[in-house]
């Protein structure tokens, strides 16, 4: 499951076998399922029993492989797949390509999941675009929704930081962003060492 996308039909068969075992089905005799499968898949802390949703679990493991292809660039798997499928870009920008292997199709099935979860951790702000990149904590999209009034499209987060003392330019932030976004931005801690920005 960590390397290949399991067919949905197989996941459904496995789910059916688990349900039948749990509810005590014997041969053709069926027992009453007192709780829906969706509720049983909820975490124990949320009132469920913590069963795995196999399709989602499979995609999560494949997304982990995609994440490794994006960052662990010294592995043999990365070098082979990059040379064949995404020579001139990174994994997040890659396309399925022509005549892909089952392994590549499986990993690409989780590409959207990687894109959905990836965001920037602000260091010095030089690599992060204010508009377009995902870097804002506390919002569901992690992107800025404030209107872009007078700054250019490629404005970097570093332009909002006073690099001499490594703190936010509060007056600039307050004048550009909606109040709740300005507060979220000013709550992002900055290091005096000004490390590079990092994708997490």
């Amino acid at each position: 499951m960590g390397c290949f996308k399991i067919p949905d039909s197989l996941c459904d068969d496995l789910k059916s076998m688990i349900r039948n075992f749990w509810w005590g089905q014997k041969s053709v005799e069926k027992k009453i399922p007192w709780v829906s499968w969706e509720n049983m898949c909820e975490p124990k802390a949320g009132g469920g029993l913590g069963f795995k949703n196999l399709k989602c679990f499979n995609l999560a493991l494949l997304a982990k492989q995609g994440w490794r292809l994006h960052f662990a660039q010294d592995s043999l798997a990365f070098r082979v797949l990059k040379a064949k499928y995404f020579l001139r870009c990174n994994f997040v920008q890659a396309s399925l390509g022509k005549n892909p292997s089952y392994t590549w199709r499986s990993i690409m099935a989780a590409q959207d999941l990687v894109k959905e979860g990836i965001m920037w951790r602000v260091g010095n702000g030089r690599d992060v675009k204010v508009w377009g990149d995902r870097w804002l904590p506390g919002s569901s999209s992690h992107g800025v929704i404030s209107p872009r009034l007078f700054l250019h499209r490629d404005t970097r987060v570093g332009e909002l930081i006073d690099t001499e003392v490594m703190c936010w330019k509060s007056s600039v932030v307050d004048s550009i962003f909606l109040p709740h976004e300005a507060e979220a931005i000013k709550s992002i801690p900055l290091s005096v060492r000004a490390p590079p920005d990092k994708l997490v």
Side-chain angles (χ1 to χ4, degrees), residues 48-105:
L49 293 173
F51 282 105
K52 296 274 189 255
N53 180 325
L54 295 177
K55 294 176 189 175
C56 293
F57 187 60
N58 186 202
L59 280 178
L61 291 175
L62 291 170
K64 190 173 182 182
Q65 295 298 338
W67 178 257
R68 286 180 179 152
L69 287 178
H70 197 71
F71 289 101
Q73 301 181 359
D74 56 347
S75 68
L76 177 61
F78 170 81
R79 293 197 301 263
V80 170
L81 291 172
K82 181 162 182 67
K84 182 158 177 63
Y85 297 113
F86 56 107
L87 187 59
R88 293 180 179 83
C89 61
N90 57 36
F91 171 72
V92 173
Q93 300 162 334
S95 62
L96 195 58
K98 295 179 182 176
N99 197 20
S101 67
Y102 189 67
T103 302
W104 181 244
R105 276 188 281 132

